[in-house]
Amino acid sequence: GFTAAIDERARAQMIQRAAQSLVPVMVAPRVLLLVISGCEDAESIAAALARLGRAALDADAAACVVYATFPTEPDREVTLEIAAFDSSATMIGARAVFSGTPFVVAALRAQAPHVMVAASFEEALRRALDSAEQVIEPTSLLARSLKRLKR
């Protein structure tokens, strides 16, 4: 009884802390990223995706990347919650690109075939940048010099 109550309280606190760490980040002009890691609670993920939607609207985002990491296949409820962000992004005029660990990619492709799923983070970011018509330029002196030589 008492031990189970303490365990449940500790679990609830752990879920709350994990959910608070799910914060959208602007990775390029008009491109936002949300990494879902350490949290497998559908309600917490829904709240994080709602924060991403608000941030995307405020930033006039053209694209949002949702990258999820799970050590095993996510529950169907969690997968569908993640995929539901596609509709939110569409409503605000942004493209949603989803990716993650192989378990997440497989679950999204099987349970939400209508959403854009990239096999890797790099591919997801490239698709998002393309949607936002953004290009990340090399910043090192060597890279800029090599680029000038190519012209």
Side-chain angles (χ1 to χ4, degrees):
F2 179 72
T3 304
I6 291 175
D7 287 347
E8 184 56 34
R9 182 172 174 218
R11 182 180 178 283
Q13 288 174 340
M14 183 180 72
I15 289 171
Q16 183 180 17
R17 274 190 236 112
Q20 290 171 346
S21 72
L22 303 178
V23 179
V25 177
M26 185 171 292
V27 293
R30 303 188 66 215
V31 179
L32 288 149
L33 166 68
L34 177 66
V35 176
I36 300 171
S37 182
C39 181
E40 297 181 24
D41 176 64
E43 189 176 312
S44 298
I45 290 170
L49 291 165
R51 288 191 297 274
L52 175 61
R54 284 190 298 277
L57 183 61
D58 291 345
D60 188 31
C64 297
V65 176
V66 177
Y67 186 86
T69 63
F70 294 101
T72 60
E73 184 175 337
D75 293 340
R76 179 174 172 76
E77 179 184 7
V78 168
T79 302
L80 295 177
E81 195 65 60
I82 292 169
F85 181 74
D86 188 64
S87 296
S88 299
T90 300
M91 285 193 317
I92 61 170
R95 165 170 268 170
V97 185
F98 301 90
S99 190
T101 55
F103 291 115
V104 174
V105 169
L108 284 167
R109 286 184 173 153
Q111 297 173 29
H114 62 283
V115 303
M116 182 184 291
V117 179
S120 67
F121 175 75
E122 293 80 6
E123 180 187 345
L125 184 57
R126 182 181 46 75
R127 288 183 180 191
L129 291 169
D130 288 349
S131 294
E133 298 178 351
Q134 296 292 323
V135 177
I136 295 180
E137 294 290 334
T139 57
S140 73
L141 179 59
L142 177 61
R144 286 193 308 263
S145 298
L146 290 172
K147 188 173 181 179
R148 272 183 278 192
L149 288 174
K150 286 173 129 179
R151 291 183 196 170

